[in-house]
Amino acid sequence: MAESMSAQDKLALIYENLHEKLKEEIIEDVIIRQNRSLKIYWGTATTGRPHCGYFVPMVKLAHFLRAGCTIKILLADMHAFLDNLKAPIELVKYRAEYYRFVITSLLKSLNVPIDRLEVVLGSSYQLSAEYTMDLFRLCSVVSEHDSKKAGAEVVKQVANPMLSGLIYPLMQTLDEQYLDVDVQFGGVDQRKIFTLATESLPKINYKERAHLMNPMVPGLSGGKMSASDPDSKIDLLDPSDVVEKKLKKAHCVPKEVEGNGMISFVEFVLLSVDGLKNGGKGRFVVERRKPEDGEPLVYEDIATLKEDYEADKLTPQLLKPAITKALVNLLQPLQEEYQASAEWQEIANKAYPPPETKKKEKKVKDRGTKFPGSQGGVEAKPDGHVEGKAEDQVNLGTGAEEAIENLNIQQKAPS
């Protein structure tokens, strides 16, 4: 397909549905003047289980592949470890392998060629002496302030941050050179890291790259969809009943388009995926609740859908079931491949082991503060005597005669 596309058609497909692009003249020079395959890298830290938000970058990677680009996917296992220990070092290897299965399956399900796709593990080159020396060089030209600012929207922010959070943006910058690409692609939340890369790589005599950014799809609760926040996302392996339950509770204000994650998902995933699969314009179908309500609503562009939503012709009660049906169908090929692969299932259990069930602790009966051995009362010693703040209330004395006297035992006269 790419062979029959003009340079302008390729650029249009590369730029479709992007939020922002930086240094696009670099891209246009490669496509138009050099007339070669554009080399793009997209990286993901292998932390929590991938969720449905991953469809957004996958759709763009599919566009890039259709436009004849060469894609390198970086499974950033070292970044996952550096980001406030989001991925324990013992699990990093397995999580990277899990991500490899998921991403490959997602792209295959989108009906795009993957012969120009290469998956690279970060630790395969980031632990080399050459890379480490370049990282030191980068440390000498980037301030602590600039590195912290660059990672503010990506690295987990805590009260007492580790130094690892400052190294994270520098490594992502350096990866552009070591992966030998023209472009780095990522979410708009990566913008500050992209700016850091543009400014700092020439300082250590490496060329600057172009940057492409996709929008961030709001999560189910309205904020950012995050792999480490289960309440904000739908897992790619969630069964249909779980998907339906989560979408029913999703944040979706009537007549409000801005910040509406449901509408964003239709715009950046469902319409694009349908277009990729069918080789044309995407369609999104919304069934009426009752047959007598009329024909289904069919949308081929997001502008019309937004107009209907703002006019309350399309309501959350109609939109959510339609998204549920489309998403369940979208997830089906990946889930079937997972169920058929014993290797993938084994990796999943190693990457995300089920939490240990805590044994119920036996409740200790409270016998009161005056009971020997109680906290703040008295403590019984091995020889039988007691010590503590209340020992005078329970101590019977040091001998038998004193104990009898204290117990106030009266001897009865013999009959």
Side-chain angles (χ1 to χ4, degrees), residues 315-384:
T315 64
Q317 291 75 19
L318 292 174
L319 181 61
K320 287 184 178 182
I323 293 176
T324 300
K325 182 179 178 181
L327 181 54
V328 168
N329 290 336
L330 193 56
L331 293 174
Q332 186 178 351
L334 178 141
Q335 294 182 357
E336 288 177 352
E337 187 174 349
Y338 173 78
Q339 293 298 333
S341 173
E343 184 185 2
W344 188 352
Q345 293 174 40
E346 183 183 356
I347 287 294
N349 288 330
K350 289 180 177 178
Y352 304 99
E356 294 182 8
T357 53
K358 291 185 178 180
K359 292 183 179 179
K360 191 176 180 180
E361 294 184 6
K362 189 176 180 181
K363 191 175 180 180
V364 179
K365 188 176 180 181
D366 185 4
R367 302 186 184 183
T369 58
K370 293 183 179 180
F371 184 77
S374 65
Q375 193 173 14
V378 293
E379 181 182 359
K381 297 297 180 180
D383 63 359

Side-chain angles (χ1 to χ4, degrees), residues 23 37 56 80 101 130 163 228 273 318 328 364 389 391 397:
K23 297 285 181 181
S37 176
V56 177
F101 273 111
E130 184 182 3
L163 285 174
S228 53
V273 168
L318 292 174
V328 168
V364 179
K389 293 179 182 179
E391 64 176 274

Side-chain angles (χ1 to χ4, degrees), residues 9-258:
D9 287 340
K10 289 179 181 179
L11 289 171
L13 188 55
I14 289 169
Y15 294 155
E16 185 178 314
N17 277 350
L18 286 177
H19 184 275
E20 190 177 358
K21 48 190 182 290
L22 303 175
K23 297 285 181 181
E24 61 262 41
E25 62 269 19
I26 295 175
I27 298 171
E28 290 160 13
D29 178 69
V30 171
I31 298 289
I32 299 171
R33 191 182 67 81
Q34 298 183 42
N35 192 26
R36 65 170 174 83
S37 176
L38 185 71
K39 296 181 288 185
I40 303 175
Y41 117 70
W42 174 76
T44 180
T46 52
T47 52
R49 295 169 72 105
H51 49 74
C52 287
Y54 274 65
F55 275 112
V56 177
M58 290 304 108
V59 166
K60 278 315 303 173
L61 292 179
H63 287 163
F64 299 154
L65 288 166
R66 282 276 176 94
C69 302
T70 300
I71 306 297
K72 289 186 179 181
I73 292 178
L74 174 65
L75 299 179
D77 52 346
M78 290 294 95
H79 286 81
F81 174 66
L82 288 171
D83 189 2
N84 203 45
L85 297 179
K86 277 186 180 177
I89 195 67
E90 304 82 21
L91 301 180
V92 161
K93 173 186 174 184
Y94 300 121
R95 291 191 177 181
E97 195 59 32
Y98 181 82
Y99 270 64
R100 186 193 301 268
F101 273 111
V102 167
I103 290 167
T104 304
S105 181
L106 280 176
L107 286 172
K108 284 194 297 184
S109 73
L110 296 180
N111 193 29
V112 294
I114 57 173
D115 54 307
R116 288 187 307 277
L117 175 70
E118 181 184 355
V119 180
V120 182
L121 192 63
S123 57
S124 67
Y125 66 88
Q126 290 168 345
L127 301 177
S128 68
E130 184 182 3
Y131 186 93
T132 302
M133 192 63 229
D134 274 341
L135 187 59
F136 290 158
R137 291 171 63 208
L138 208 51
C139 287
S140 70
V141 297
V142 177
S143 70
E144 178 267 347
H145 172 271
D146 288 349
S147 185
K148 186 176 181 180
K149 179 182 175 183
E153 293 186 46
V154 179
V155 179
K156 186 176 180 181
Q157 301 300 300
V158 293
N160 187 24
M162 299 292 110
L163 285 174
S164 57
L166 300 176
I167 298 172
Y168 186 113
L170 302 184
M171 289 178 64
Q172 187 169 336
T173 294
L174 206 51
D175 290 336
E176 295 181 355
Q177 174 65 25
Y178 277 77
L179 291 171
D180 186 27
V181 294
D182 307 303
V183 182
Q184 183 179 174
F185 164 64
V188 71
D189 59 337
Q190 308 273 337
R191 192 185 194 285
K192 291 176 182 176
I193 294 181
F194 292 169
T195 303
L196 179 74
T198 302
E199 293 172 351
S200 59
L201 277 181
K203 293 179 182 178
I204 57 172
N205 299 320
Y206 290 141
K207 67 179 183 180
E208 62 183 3
R209 270 74 176 181
H211 296 93
L212 300 174
M213 286 161 271
N214 64 256
M216 304 301 294
V217 173
L220 300 179
S221 54
K224 177 181 174 182
M225 194 177 291
S226 170
S228 53
D229 180 5
D231 293 332
S232 74
K233 60 161 188 169
I234 293 174
D235 192 282
L236 294 168
L237 295 177
D238 277 345
S240 58
D241 58 327
V242 174
V243 172
E244 182 179 6
K245 185 178 178 181
K246 286 184 176 181
L247 284 175
K248 274 185 178 180
K249 296 191 297 182
H251 183 76
C252 189
V253 180
K255 298 193 283 187
E256 279 192 22
V257 170
E258 195 67 32

